[in-house]
Amino acid sequence: MTFCFTGIRSLPKFWKSNPYLSVGPGHSYFSLFLKDYCGIRNQQKWFSLKTVSPQNTKAVNLLIAKARYLRKGDEGSNQVSSDSHLFAAGAAKKRSQMNTHREDHGLPPVRNTMQLPTRPLNSEEWDKLKEDFKGKANFESWIISQMAHCHSSIDVAKSLLAWVAAKNNGIVGYDLLVKYLYLCVFHKHISEVIDVYEIMKARYKRLEPGGYTLLIQGLIHSDRWKEALLLLEDIKKVMIPSKKNYNDCIEGALLHQDVNLAWNLYQELLGHNLIPMLKTLKAFFDFGKNIKDDQYSNKLFDILLYLRNNHLYPGESFAHSIKTWFESGQCSGCGKTIESLHLSPEEYEFLKEKIMRDVIDGGDQYKKTTPQELERFQNFVKCCPPFDIVIDGLNVAKTFPKARESQVLLHVVSQLAKQNLQLLVLGRKHMLTQHSRWRKDEMKEVQKQASCFFADNISADDPFLLYATLHSGNHCKFITKDLMRDHKACLHDAKTQRLFFKWQQGHQLAIINRLPGSKITFQHIPSYDTVVQTTGDSWHIPYDEDLLERYSYEVPTKWLCLHRKT
């Protein structure tokens, strides 16, 4: 057997001198910060005997460079350039801005000036608010509509429904229920979604399309996600479901790893001559970067042909997902797929059970938490929807030593909350006490934007962090600088330790910078696993550089790519 040396590649550094991880562009269920295409590529160093071009990037980078040039030329100008063609994106808007003689005879709408409550009200307070209402509309309908429009808190809206129910023998009208349901879905308060679902299921045989859409959108994030499919069947009895209905069910199927169901729903959508939402197609590409399956790849190529044949253009985020799928886990020397960091459902459940038993419930010798407090935390997590990111609050707050700790934590939480992510901040009770490093007003803002759990000051954060992350599902990430080596040592066999490290590399986020304006950036999480790998006709071997010391919890950053000479 003869192998040909094609190159030594330095993959993007991770788990190294700054050994923490991040989410990259186009991640399956959310995207933190899209880095510049070339910025990521420029972090790679090449040492080879012959030039090997990165796969699938030349045309993309050419288009990006061209787009940058055009944008630069447009800066400071309100006119359409003479060499900008008629159908260029943004040209119509610029032409409309040039029309300075346009008149607008529309009158501003008359608005009720009543301020919405910012805290739950009791019955007397709601009575007084209704008395002060000056509008002609029904007060209850108007106030819940305004709450939905302004995304009021669930607690305030719930106090409204309790007041209405108390006046009407426990009955709350359909209109109020649907608008309350909208708030529950918006805030991802899944337990409340299920409560409203049970009420509607018991009271109404059929719902209007908006009610079905909201219930489907809320249920797909719960462990009762398959009941969203029953609602889809109910819709089919009277009409063709909307592409939004199909999108939510497809996203739910992919979220819960049911790929065949997702494809079947997609084919059903096309069979109704519906044009799928671009976010639906994006979801398939996001999921596909962790799938090593030729059949799945062929289906994604079919989607690309569908875009071509129907003159559909992906948005920038979708384009990142397509690019990430093309390049995810591929060796730039030979194009072979590298083994994914993504754990299979079986591996994830195995690891989850082991950590729950050996680290959290098994008397972890490094744990400084009472069984009572751990039980209190477990009950707290069960009452919350699945989290997208779990934050080690004290650890994150100390990321930038010169900055006030509560300010740093608030900046991180605020930036993530803008992406409508379900956040959990783990902290200790002393963080709520006014101090030069911890301001009460900033901590109150943190609590408004994230679920928070503050343990006793002597308690360790790690068991809580591991429990909440694993309980939320394989999509959930966590943010801490702690490398969890003590907890890994509690796992008694090599297989479990290996799976834990693999899971950790794919789920642990790290803050690497704070840009002007307090913008936080996270380090890139790779999609590939760093182990010696073979596909039969090729070998990929990570190796240590001479004179470079690597600790046991680090992995090499350079690879040897070998393939059989034909």
Side-chain angles (χ1 to χ4, degrees):
M1 181 183 297
T2 303
F3 281 88
C4 175
F5 173 82
T6 61
I8 301 176
R9 178 188 177 192
S10 175
L11 296 169
K13 292 187 176 181
F14 67 100
W15 209 254
K16 190 54 189 154
S17 57
N18 188 3
Y20 320 121
L21 302 170
S22 75
V23 165
H27 190 268
S28 294
Y29 302 112
F30 54 87
S31 178
L32 290 177
F33 308 104
L34 294 177
K35 296 186 179 180
D36 184 276
Y37 289 107
C38 299
I40 294 175
R41 181 61 60 186
N42 289 341
Q43 293 175 13
Q44 300 173 356
K45 300 178 182 178
W46 283 78
F47 303 89
S48 60
L49 299 182
K50 64 179 182 178
T51 302
V52 185
S53 299
Q55 300 292 312
N56 306 309
T57 59
K58 184 176 180 181
V60 174
N61 289 335
L62 178 62
L63 290 173
I64 292 167
K66 185 176 181 181
R68 287 181 183 150
Y69 172 77
L70 291 175
R71 285 197 296 270
K72 185 176 181 181
D74 287 341
E75 288 177 3
S77 172
N78 289 327
Q79 296 185 350
V80 182
S81 171
S82 59
D83 58 355
S84 176
H85 69 78
L86 185 65
F87 302 105
K93 183 177 181 179
K94 290 182 179 180
R95 288 195 295 272
S96 68
Q97 292 171 345
M98 293 171 62
N99 182 6
T100 58
H101 301 292
R102 184 181 60 182
E103 297 181 1
D104 187 356
H105 299 289
L107 296 176
V110 177
R111 297 186 182 276
N112 192 294
T113 57
M114 177 181 289
Q115 293 292 320
L116 295 177
T118 58
R119 61 173 178 80
L121 304 184
N122 59 35
S123 181
E124 291 75 17
E125 289 171 318
W126 279 118
D127 288 337
K128 179 66 168 61
L129 203 61
K130 183 173 182 178
E131 289 176 10
D132 296 338
F133 180 64
K134 305 299 182 184
K136 294 181 180 180
N138 174 274
F139 170 74
E140 290 84 354
S141 179
W142 179 86
I143 195 77
I144 193 68
S145 295
Q146 294 301 308
M147 286 182 176
H149 178 74
C150 297
H151 301 140
S152 296
S153 78
I154 294 295
D155 291 336
V156 176
K158 191 186 293 186
S159 74
L160 171 67
L161 266 62
W163 173 66
V164 171
K167 295 193 307 176
N168 295 279
N169 298 318
I171 301 299
V172 176
Y174 182 83
D175 180 61
L176 269 65
L177 275 177
V178 167
K179 289 185 172 65
Y180 176 69
L181 175 61
Y182 168 79
L183 285 172
C184 297
V185 172
F186 177 83
H187 291 295
K188 292 188 176 180
H189 212 303
I190 306 303
S191 61
E192 290 294 321
V193 170
I194 292 175
D195 287 345
V196 177
Y197 170 56
E198 293 292 353
I199 292 171
M200 289 183 159
K201 188 168 64 170
R203 189 180 298 174
Y204 306 105
K205 291 184 178 180
R206 290 283 184 272
L207 306 179
E208 45 77 44
Y212 280 120
T213 296
L214 287 170
L215 285 175
I216 290 172
Q217 190 177 353
L219 285 174
I220 62 170
H221 296 286
S222 75
D223 55 2
R224 296 174 61 176
W225 67 276
K226 286 195 174 180
E227 293 186 51
L229 303 175
L230 301 179
L231 297 178
L232 190 71
E233 293 300 318
D234 283 346
I235 297 175
K236 292 178 190 177
K237 294 174 182 177
V238 294
M239 61 186 294
I240 296 175
S242 69
K243 59 184 178 182
K244 167 68 174 161
N245 297 145
Y246 277 108
N247 170 79
D248 291 338
C249 290
I250 289 170
E251 286 191 346
L254 292 176
L255 179 63
H256 296 279
Q257 310 290 316
D258 196 333
V259 183
N260 291 332
L261 174 60
W263 282 118
N264 290 338
L265 289 169
Y266 174 66
Q267 292 300 325
E268 188 177 300
L269 179 154
L270 296 180
H272 289 305
N273 292 320
L274 295 173
I275 296 177
M277 300 174 71
L278 290 180
K279 64 182 296 188
T280 306
L281 306 182
K282 179 181 181 299
F284 282 113
F285 279 90
D286 287 339
F287 189 84
K289 68 181 184 180
N290 295 316
I291 299 295
K292 294 186 295 182
D293 182 354
D294 289 341
Q295 289 185 346
Y296 194 96
S297 296
N298 289 336
K299 291 175 180 177
L300 294 185
F301 281 119
D302 288 340
I303 289 179
L304 293 179
L305 289 175
Y306 180 86
L307 293 175
R308 168 188 169 88
N309 295 335
N310 290 276
H311 285 252
L312 297 176
Y313 304 101
E316 187 170 349
S317 178
F318 187 5
H320 274 258
S321 296
I322 296 172
K323 178 178 183 289
T324 301
W325 171 68
F326 266 106
E327 296 180 347
S328 64
Q330 279 191 339
C331 171
S332 295
C334 68
K336 295 291 185 180
T337 299
I338 307 298
E339 288 181 31
S340 170
L341 256 183
H342 185 77
L343 267 61
S344 69
E346 294 77 17
E347 289 176 325
Y348 179 78
E349 289 302 321
F350 173 84
L351 177 66
K352 178 180 175 180
E353 181 183 343
K354 284 280 190 177
I355 291 180
M356 294 293 186
R357 187 182 67 196
D358 296 343
V359 176
I360 296 174
D361 296 329
D364 181 352
Q365 59 186 326
Y366 303 99
K367 185 172 62 185
K368 298 178 181 178
T369 275
T370 65
Q372 294 79 11
E373 185 172 53
L374 185 58
E375 183 179 1
R376 178 169 69 91
F377 176 69
Q378 289 173 329
N379 292 332
F380 165 80
V381 170
K382 289 176 183 177
C383 294
C384 296
F387 298 108
D388 296 315
I389 299 180
V390 179
I391 301 169
D392 184 341
L394 194 58
N395 191 292
V396 166
K398 297 179 180 295
T399 302
F400 305 105
K402 294 183 179 180
R404 186 170 58 253
E405 290 171 355
S406 59
Q407 184 184 42
V408 173
L409 180 59
L410 177 57
H411 284 162
V412 173
V413 169
S414 298
Q415 190 163 309
L416 296 174
K418 289 177 182 177
Q419 301 173 61
N420 200 27
L421 300 171
Q422 194 71 34
L423 307 176
L424 170 63
V425 174
L426 299 174
R428 297 183 188 167
K429 291 179 179 178
H430 74 80
M431 296 164 60
L432 299 175
T433 304
Q434 181 69 27
H435 187 271
S436 60
R437 305 290 293 175
W438 296 99
R439 279 179 33 177
K440 278 191 173 181
D441 59 327
E442 290 174 336
M443 291 305 296
K444 285 183 179 178
E445 285 299 315
V446 169
Q447 291 172 277
K448 287 181 182 179
Q449 300 180 66
S451 299
C452 296
F453 183 89
F454 297 97
D456 292 336
N457 293 328
I458 63 169
S459 295
D461 300 315
D462 300 345
F464 297 142
L465 184 143
L466 288 173
Y467 180 88
T469 306
L470 287 164
H471 185 272
S472 294
N474 207 3
H475 74 285
C476 184
K477 302 292 186 289
F478 64 94
I479 304 177
T480 183
K481 292 184 292 184
D482 195 311
L483 296 179
M484 306 284 177
R485 283 173 283 170
D486 293 342
H487 301 295
K488 180 181 175 183
C490 292
L491 301 170
H492 303 301
D493 59 279
K495 174 187 175 182
T496 308
Q497 290 184 3
R498 163 70 186 147
L499 284 177
F500 178 80
F501 186 51
K502 186 175 180 179
W503 172 80
Q504 185 181 9
Q505 290 179 78
H507 291 76
Q508 186 166 353
L509 307 178
I511 299 169
I512 60 173
N513 197 8
R514 184 171 63 168
L515 302 176
S518 299
K519 180 74 177 290
I520 303 293
T521 58
F522 290 77
Q523 193 167 341
H524 174 66
I525 284 184
S527 59
Y528 47 82
D529 196 6
T530 306
V531 290
V532 175
Q533 304 177 21
T534 180
T535 60
D537 60 349
S538 67
W539 283 86
H540 294 89
I541 306 170
Y543 69 94
D544 285 321
E545 297 179 74
D546 291 340
L547 307 179
L548 182 65
E549 183 177 3
R550 177 176 59 80
Y551 293 100
S552 60
Y553 55 85
E554 299 173 336
V555 296
T557 61
K558 289 194 172 183
W559 291 69
L560 178 66
C561 168
L562 302 170
H563 65 92
R564 184 179 301 170
K565 188 174 182 180
T566 57

